[in-house]
Amino acid sequence: MSGRRGPAEEPSPHSLETAARKRSRSLAALGYTKPQTYEELRAVLSSGTVHFPKRLRQVAIFLWQHPSEVALGTIAQVAEQAGVQPSTLVRFAQIFGYAGFSDFQALFKDRMKGSWPERAGLERAEEPNANLHFLSGMVGASQTSLDRVGNAFDIESFETMVDHLAAAELIYVIGSKRAFPVTAYLSLTLSQQGVRNVLVDNVGSTALDQVGCITPRDAVLAVSFSPYNSITPDLVAVAHERKARILTITDSTFSPLVGLSDTWLEVVESDFAGFRSLAASLAVGMALVHGVVARRTD
């Protein structure tokens, strides 16, 4: 018997449209109206009451993290960057009451009208030397990431994180894969400032053992970026069960750490040619260390 799916098994355009309409009605049932601004859309996405299947969740994360690219790209370009088919973008737009992606994209274009400086570091003339061009691109991505933090920083959440970390008996610093350079540097800096901490580095696959002695008097400083496929959520879940304070730096409300965290900060890093900056994450992390040391000194 062939394992190939026959045509009859593929969902028809009509069934996809019907499913999208049903999800749109479900949003209305939750008390949501058609978002009229980018901020209203973010409020719906961050509410935690809308649950997307895998591909639509992938779209939601990309829209959350890259609103400028969504505003400026064609549906084909946005779909390619998000790693989905253009039809998936259309389905996503229909969920929120829009006829298609173009109407939905207007939310992002309106947002861009007041934030053109965010693109300044990305719009560079191509350098004659390929290596210098790449360097300029990475510098631009880093500047964009830092500008984004400066323009929309949640100072209240930041102060709360500082309070919890300063009050902790021991700080566990958790992050893996792309986040590990950030957590390694944060742990080093905390140690240099005399703040007791444990870097959960998972050497020898011992990460679960490293958090095994965590107590309610301790705090976790976790860093995690999409696609969220690391061991970090499992480690943070253990700390959460043990009643430790969970403070998180992550890049969207869709991070699995958000629901486990006492407080979290959003830091979205820009990329160039597939390489993503860590400039903003390091800057926010260093500010946290500085705040903790100052609070303990006081």
Side-chain angles (χ1 to χ4, degrees):
M1 180 181 293
S2 172
R4 185 180 301 172
R5 297 178 63 181
E9 297 180 36
E10 298 293 337
S12 67
H14 175 72
S15 65
L16 292 177
E17 182 178 358
T18 300
R21 287 177 178 173
K22 286 181 178 179
R23 291 193 185 95
S24 181
R25 287 198 296 271
S26 69
L27 289 180
L30 290 170
Y32 295 115
T33 57
K34 179 179 176 181
Q36 300 299 315
T37 66
Y38 172 75
E39 287 71 24
E40 289 181 8
L41 174 64
R42 277 180 62 100
V44 175
L45 294 177
S46 64
S47 66
T49 56
V50 184
H51 302 286
F52 299 105
K54 181 180 178 180
R55 288 301 182 192
L56 295 182
R57 178 182 172 83
Q58 188 173 330
V59 171
I61 293 173
F62 182 81
L63 299 185
W64 182 282
Q65 296 178 345
H66 305 283
S68 299
E69 284 77 359
V70 176
L72 298 173
T74 65
I75 186 171
Q77 290 170 335
V78 175
E80 181 180 3
Q81 290 176 309
V84 299
Q85 295 296 318
S87 60
T88 305
L89 296 180
V90 175
R91 288 168 56 201
F92 191 91
Q94 290 173 340
I95 287 175
F96 291 91
Y98 286 87
F101 180 73
S102 296
D103 294 337
F104 181 69
Q105 189 182 34
L107 298 180
F108 297 83
K109 291 182 177 180
D110 288 343
R111 171 191 174 274
M112 281 293 293
K113 291 178 181 177
S115 60
W116 286 110
E118 181 178 316
R119 299 286 297 181
L122 300 180
E123 304 300 333
R124 294 173 174 265
E126 186 168 347
E127 302 285 351
N129 180 281
N131 292 326
L132 185 57
H133 171 64
F134 180 82
L135 176 60
S136 297
M138 286 304 302
V139 169
S142 298
Q143 289 174 337
T144 299
S145 302
L146 293 166
D147 287 343
R148 187 182 289 116
V149 170
N151 293 334
F153 190 64
D154 188 346
I155 187 63
E156 183 177 346
S157 294
F158 177 84
E159 294 290 351
T160 301
M161 289 179 70
V162 169
D163 288 339
H164 290 321
L165 291 170
E169 186 173 290
L170 185 63
I171 299 172
Y172 287 77
V173 188
I174 301 176
S176 55
K177 296 187 177 180
R178 185 164 63 89
F180 186 73
V182 179
T183 54
Y185 191 44
L186 293 182
S187 175
L188 171 64
T189 309
L190 286 167
S191 297
Q192 290 175 333
Q193 297 298 318
V195 180
R196 295 178 63 245
N197 72 92
V198 173
L199 173 63
V200 181
D201 54 20
N202 198 29
V203 171
S205 301
T206 58
L208 289 171
D209 298 302
Q210 288 177 304
V211 299
C213 296
I214 198 167
T215 75
R217 299 185 300 276
D218 302 326
V220 167
L221 176 55
V223 183
S224 179
F225 306 117
S226 61
Y228 316 122
N229 57 355
S230 68
I231 194 176
T232 301
D234 294 333
L235 299 176
V236 171
V238 171
H240 183 264
E241 290 176 359
R242 292 176 173 270
K243 310 299 183 185
R245 293 285 189 182
I246 311 296
L247 303 319
T248 296
I249 297 173
T250 192
D251 54 6
S252 86
T253 190
F254 297 98
S255 169
L257 300 190
V258 169
L260 300 171
S261 301
D262 293 277
T263 310
W264 67 284
L265 283 170
E266 178 183 317
V267 178
V268 180
E269 300 279 8
S270 295
D271 68 276
F272 180 77
F275 292 84
R276 195 168 297 277
S277 167
L278 289 175
S281 303
L282 287 167
V284 171
M286 291 299 98
L288 281 173
V289 172
H290 178 269
V292 169
V293 173
R295 194 67 49 86
R296 289 193 172 193
T297 302
D298 293 341

